[in-house]
């Protein structure tokens, strides 16, 4: 058994470990910093405004409900059929 070879190997591993530790200590002294551009801020404001807006247009719904209740809501059969076929063809 060669003890001197083992000593050389252990010395190599010890120096590599110390080098890694020193690099870690040096990197902890720096502070990370993030800055958001004006375009990013504007995008965030717009995204918040859209998410807070209602998906349902209450005025249109109330108007359509009143027309259905009164019996004055009329649907053009040809227009309805063409839109229905267009949707069906888009799925296929």
């Amino acid at each position: 058994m060669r003890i001197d070879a083992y000593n050389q190997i252990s010395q190599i591993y010890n120096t590599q470990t110390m080098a890694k530790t020193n690099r870690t200590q040096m990197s902890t002294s720096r502070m990370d910093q993030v800055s958001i551009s004006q375009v990013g801020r504007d995008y965030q404001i717009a995204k918040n405004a859209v998410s807070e807006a209602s998906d349902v247009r209450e005025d249109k719904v109330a108007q359509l409900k009143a027309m259905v209740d009164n019996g004055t809501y009329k649907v053009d059969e040809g227009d309805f059929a063409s839109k229905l076929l267009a949707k069906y063809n888009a799925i296929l």
Side-chain angles (χ1 to χ4, degrees):
M1 175 180 219
R2 292 181 50 196
I3 296 175
D4 59 337
Y6 175 75
N7 287 339
Q8 290 175 352
I9 291 172
S10 67
Q11 288 175 353
I12 291 172
Y13 283 121
N14 285 338
T15 57
Q16 289 178 351
T17 305
M18 293 176 89
K20 288 181 183 177
T21 305
N22 289 340
R23 279 190 230 129
T24 304
Q25 289 173 352
M26 289 182 352
S27 67
T28 58
S29 63
R30 297 184 199 152
M31 297 287 289
D32 291 337
Q33 187 176 8
V34 175
S35 62
I36 300 173
S37 68
Q38 186 61 39
V39 173
R41 288 187 200 120
D42 292 342
Y43 177 76
Q44 187 176 17
I45 290 169
K47 185 177 174 184
N48 287 339
V50 168
S51 68
E52 292 173 1
S54 175
D55 291 339
V56 179
R57 292 174 47 188
E58 297 293 333
D59 57 334
K60 283 285 194 181
V61 172
Q63 181 184 11
L64 288 173
K65 279 184 179 182
M67 289 173 69
V68 169
D69 290 341
N70 295 337
T72 58
Y73 182 72
K74 302 291 182 209
V75 178
D76 181 21
E77 294 87 9
D79 189 35
F80 176 74
S82 64
K83 288 182 181 181
L84 185 64
L85 284 174
K87 283 282 192 180
Y88 179 74
N89 290 332
I91 293 172
L92 296 178

